[in-house]
Amino acid sequence: MSMLYDAQRAMRAKRQEAMRRGVIAILDIGSHKIACLVLRFDSADNFRPAEGVGAMAGQSSFRVIGAATTRSRGVRFGEIDAVQETERAIRTAVQAAQKMANARVDHVIVSFAGARPRSYGLVGEVSLQTGTVTEHDVARVLAACDMPDVGEGREVVHAQPVNFALDHRTGLSDPRGHVGNRLSTDMHLLTIDAHAIETLLHCVKRCDLELAGVASSPYVAGVSSLVEDEQELGAACIDMGGGSTSLSIFIKKHMIFADTVRMGGDHVTSDISQGLQIPMQDAERIKTRFGGVMATGIDDREIIELESDTGDWHHDRRTISRAELIGVMRPRVEEILEEVRARLDAAGFDHLPSQRIVLTGGASQLPGLDGLASRILGNQVRLGRPLRVQGLPQSACGPSFAACVGLSLFAAYPQDEWWDFEVPADRYPARSLKRAVKWFRDNW
Amino acid sequence: MRSLIGSRRTAPGHRDPAPSRWAYRMQRLWLTPLFRKLLRVGLPAFAVVMTVGWYLAEDGNVQALVDGASEMRREIENRPEFQVNLLGIEGASQPVADAIRTRLSLNLPISSFDLDLAEMRTTIEGISAVASADLRIQSGGYLAVTVDERLPALIWQTRDGAALLDDEGVFVAWLSERVLEAPLPLVAGEGADHVVGEALDLFVAAAPLGERLRGLVRMGERRWDVVLRDDRRILLPEVGAMAALDRIIMLDELQELLSRDVTRIDLRNPERLSVQLTPVALEEFRRLRTLSMQGEEQNG
């Protein structure tokens, strides 16, 4: 556990250094595109959160000064597959963003969807030494959570305390200052495959950048796409990307579950390509231009020409109706949504007080998707777009940039995590010395 | 498996948008503020300094530079606008003007940059007949020297010869060098040049003596003798010489003292005026006195 502490704390220290320097880069590595934003932080006292304003309002303290997107290469299912290709794509995006920002960035915060995230719920409980809960007690109760067996080759990316309970009162977001006897906490732990982080680290290092933080894509997409009451009352954010569809469940402004379905928009494209026997590029173009999931009568009359250049007259002049295209696409979309449904059911989403579902991500722009999703996932489905942040170009405001925007917010207002609290002093051997000094000072 | 290497280049129409690793690094380096400043300010400055330093490192180049600069300066100095063609001397008599010309020994025309007016002024003022000089270069290449000449006020007879002194006692010229426009009073004796003012006052006071006055002699560097014709002398006291002289003149007017047979009138002691008679007068005086004594005896 101490190794985990060290790695995460090193990244946190780098992030703080980047904040001091004022410039940090955001990198969203997706299967379809790699997006890079360069953020400039104003001075810290420029923005003072008002009373009752949550962390979501933190976007005013930074400004996007550079944004660039490039087609992703070498990323499959949201994880890095071909290291060198990915590195080149990262370099393209970072260079373009730097050029736009006219500033050099050294620190980068990365999010990605894949690497098989797995959620764990942890419980810790301690009895308080004094009646009042102090920060030291919070650190102790976090340390008292026993680490589950996450398995070989897994790494923790998020470990967030989501709830504190003091005696029989639960639902405390900040227990400090409360009086009680027993303090317990619920913690959400998210692990991913360790090799994904190692590959990522390698790629980032090859680009002369320093990794200042890693975030899970479903988490940051939820941060940017869910509005405040949805985060508070409970909602699921489904980020439909190119290679994977990730989902996260929020309640009381904390993520309590995250998972990934390893299917996305690229699979729909490949279905079109296979079904209609056209190249992937043409399939992608037809999908974005004519695609849909709900066929109506008029779609039978809308003819799509499948142009190609093989030399075969009949093959080059094929046409299909839009209804046929929808017929190809819909089963795959249904399959994705049903898989999401299964994951939500497994997570116990039914038991949440509010069952709002927000669809975001690039693949959520399919026309008619909200109608199809409400049949499968329940009727509280809406399409989500990320929050507006200052300086973000219009082209980067769509739902496909939900993770990017969320990562910016995450960089500006990071959630308290396990490693943000001091290691309890009784784990240190220096404790005895400190106690001796204290005794000396008290008695003399 | 397709070949991994070289496939990018062979595939037509698929240009890789990714920058090469070095291009990426160069761009990042270029975006570094310090590097940027160094390259845009530091490098040109360094190049300039190095070029100048390399050029100056060779002695010949330095010499050529210095020569070129002096040549250019020479050309500017020799322009006709800066030439001095004429030397004009005002306020000086002909011999003094000649002396000034000789002393300056300018070979005209000459550039005004080569003239050191302050030094020339010192030179001119070094001539004893010149009290002060004022030099200025006027337009048209005219060097105007305005001289305030010392005017001889009296003649000082010394063993070396007769010198002309001005009213401050400064040597002007030898008497033999000048032709005097008017007769000047004559003084003699050592230290007479230090008290020229007093001597001139005495000459003014002695004006009633007229032709009889020959001159003044400084005695022992402390008092004056008035020398009259026939080698008669009036010995003036050290203090109050003027009053004593006035007294003699008064006596002369009343009693015609100086017309009598006296060789010396001694006023050194103001309490007691003593007169030295000529031997003939002394004899006459004694005879008269004897006669008067005899008369008294007869009368008595």
Side-chain angles (χ1 to χ4, degrees), chain A residues 201-392:
Chain A
L201 205 59
H202 179 251
C203 277
V204 166
K205 197 176 279 179
R206 289 269 297 171
C207 292
D208 300 334
L209 298 167
E210 282 191 79
L211 194 62
V214 177
S216 179
S217 176
Y219 171 56
V220 291
V223 165
S224 72
S225 299
L226 299 182
V227 296
E228 207 167 332
D229 61 325
E230 287 168 347
Q231 286 192 0
E232 180 68 36
L233 298 174
C237 173
I238 297 168
D239 180 12
M240 304 181 73
S244 62
T245 299
S246 54
L247 56 121
S248 57
I249 301 176
F250 277 70
I251 192 163
K252 287 188 178 297
K253 294 188 178 172
H254 291 291
M255 177 175 71
I256 55 168
F257 178 77
D259 205 345
T260 304
V261 177
R262 290 161 75 80
M263 276 185 288
D266 286 352
H267 295 86
V268 178
T269 308
S270 101
D271 282 354
I272 295 171
S273 172
Q274 286 173 23
L276 305 178
Q277 297 190 349
I278 53 175
M280 279 293 271
Q281 282 88 353
D282 291 358
E284 179 75 25
R285 186 177 58 81
I286 287 172
K287 182 186 83 172
T288 50
R289 240 186 113 184
F290 305 104
V293 288
M294 301 290 269
T296 56
I298 200 166
D299 291 332
D300 288 331
R301 295 199 293 276
E302 190 173 350
I303 304 299
I304 305 165
E305 292 188 3
L306 305 177
E307 293 175 356
S308 59
D309 197 18
T310 57
D312 183 339
W313 200 90
H314 292 285
H315 186 266
D316 289 356
R317 280 160 189 76
R318 286 176 300 146
T319 54
I320 55 162
S321 67
R322 189 171 178 236
E324 284 176 281
L325 177 67
I326 289 171
V328 173
M329 288 172 68
R330 182 167 170 143
R332 179 63 81 165
V333 178
E334 276 179 349
E335 186 190 355
I336 294 171
L337 290 174
E338 275 163 7
E339 190 70 24
V340 168
R341 172 84 256 170
R343 301 291 170 96
L344 287 178
D345 287 344
F349 185 62
D350 310 343
H351 306 292
L352 289 191
S354 160
Q355 288 169 21
R356 171 74 78 172
I357 290 175
V358 177
L359 294 171
T360 186
S364 72
Q365 298 173 89
L366 271 181
L369 181 71
D370 49 345
L372 181 64
S374 61
R375 285 195 193 169
I376 296 170
L377 300 175
N379 53 6
Q380 293 189 36
V381 174
R382 73 170 180 97
L383 294 177
R385 295 171 72 86
L387 282 168
R388 304 271 314 174
V389 295
Q390 210 181 1
L392 194 69

Side-chain angles (χ1 to χ4, degrees), chain B residues 72-102:
Chain B
M72 197 175 290
R73 189 188 158 91
R74 197 72 246 166
E75 274 176 21
I76 292 171
E77 282 176 1
N78 287 340
R79 289 183 69 80
E81 286 85 354
F82 298 118
Q83 294 285 6
V84 171
N85 299 315
L86 206 61
L87 170 65
I89 300 172
E90 293 172 19
S93 54
Q94 192 57 42
V96 176
D98 288 342
I100 290 171
R101 280 179 202 281
T102 316

Side-chain angles (χ1 to χ4, degrees), chain B residues 43-300:
Chain B
L43 199 67
F46 178 75
V48 167
V49 167
M50 276 306 286
T51 312
V52 170
W54 174 79
Y55 185 74
L56 293 185
E58 300 206 5
D59 291 340
N61 288 339
V62 178
Q63 194 57 45
L65 270 187
V66 170
D67 287 351
S70 60
E71 179 62 31
M72 197 175 290
R73 189 188 158 91
R74 197 72 246 166
E75 274 176 21
I76 292 171
E77 282 176 1
N78 287 340
R79 289 183 69 80
E81 286 85 354
F82 298 118
Q83 294 285 6
V84 171
N85 299 315
L86 206 61
L87 170 65
I89 300 172
E90 293 172 19
S93 54
Q94 192 57 42
V96 176
D98 288 342
I100 290 171
R101 280 179 202 281
T102 316
R103 196 67 81 84
L104 290 180
S105 65
L106 297 175
N107 45 352
L108 298 170
I110 189 171
S111 170
S112 58
F113 285 96
D114 295 336
L115 295 177
D116 186 356
L117 291 184
E119 196 196 324
M120 284 165 70
R121 182 175 172 215
T122 319
T123 312
I124 293 174
E125 286 180 350
I127 299 172
S128 52
V130 175
S132 66
D134 180 25
L135 285 89
R136 73 183 48 166
I137 294 167
Q138 292 174 349
S139 60
Y142 182 74
L143 174 62
V145 181
T146 309
V147 174
D148 187 8
E149 200 181 342
R150 290 188 196 279
L151 291 175
L154 45 76
I155 304 166
W156 182 32
Q157 185 70 48
T158 61
R159 286 179 206 282
D160 301 330
L164 292 170
L165 300 183
D166 74 342
D167 50 5
E168 290 168 1
V170 179
F171 174 82
V172 177
W174 296 108
L175 183 59
S176 54
E177 295 170 350
R178 293 290 184 93
V179 178
L180 292 181
E181 294 161 359
L184 290 177
L186 178 71
V187 296
E190 213 166 311
D193 54 336
H194 298 306
V195 283
V196 169
E198 196 181 338
L200 289 175
D201 288 346
L202 286 175
F203 275 114
V204 170
L209 295 176
E211 286 294 311
R212 285 174 293 181
L213 178 67
R214 238 183 114 187
L216 296 175
V217 178
R218 187 71 171 168
M219 301 300 288
E221 291 191 36
R222 55 186 179 90
R223 62 172 199 84
W224 289 104
D225 272 10
V226 181
V227 179
L228 302 177
R229 299 204 183 271
D230 315 329
D231 270 349
R232 287 185 292 173
R233 286 186 177 227
I234 302 168
L235 280 64
L236 295 178
E238 198 172 336
V239 180
M242 190 69 84
L245 188 61
D246 283 347
R247 188 175 163 199
I248 291 297
I249 288 168
M250 191 74 75
L251 282 174
D252 181 41
E253 281 177 6
L254 293 177
Q255 299 177 3
E256 296 183 347
L257 178 67
L258 297 175
S259 310
R260 297 167 193 263
D261 276 346
V262 290
T263 52
R264 288 163 68 117
I265 303 169
D266 191 346
L267 286 165
R268 283 178 293 183
N269 187 349
E271 303 294 320
R272 189 190 60 179
L273 184 146
S274 57
V275 177
Q276 184 186 5
L277 299 176
T278 56
V280 180
L282 190 61
E283 200 130 323
E284 182 66 21
F285 178 69
R286 281 189 186 142
R287 189 183 65 81
L288 287 177
R289 195 166 162 184
T290 328
L291 279 178
S292 71
M293 282 174 68
Q294 283 170 354
E296 274 179 22
E297 281 169 12
Q298 283 168 3
N299 292 339

Side-chain angles (χ1 to χ4, degrees), chain A residues 142-194:
Chain A
L142 290 178
C145 296
D146 45 351
M147 188 74 178
D149 181 18
V150 294
E152 191 67 28
R154 303 285 291 178
E155 198 75 60
V156 178
V157 281
H158 293 295
Q160 296 164 343
V162 295
N163 184 30
F164 288 99
L166 193 59
D167 294 340
H168 300 293
R169 284 177 294 155
T170 183
L172 300 173
S173 59
D174 187 355
R176 284 176 297 177
H178 285 271
V179 179
N181 293 320
R182 294 196 67 76
L183 179 69
S184 62
T185 183
D186 299 319
M187 187 148 67
H188 174 234
L189 191 78
L190 191 72
T191 65
I192 57 170
D193 285 344

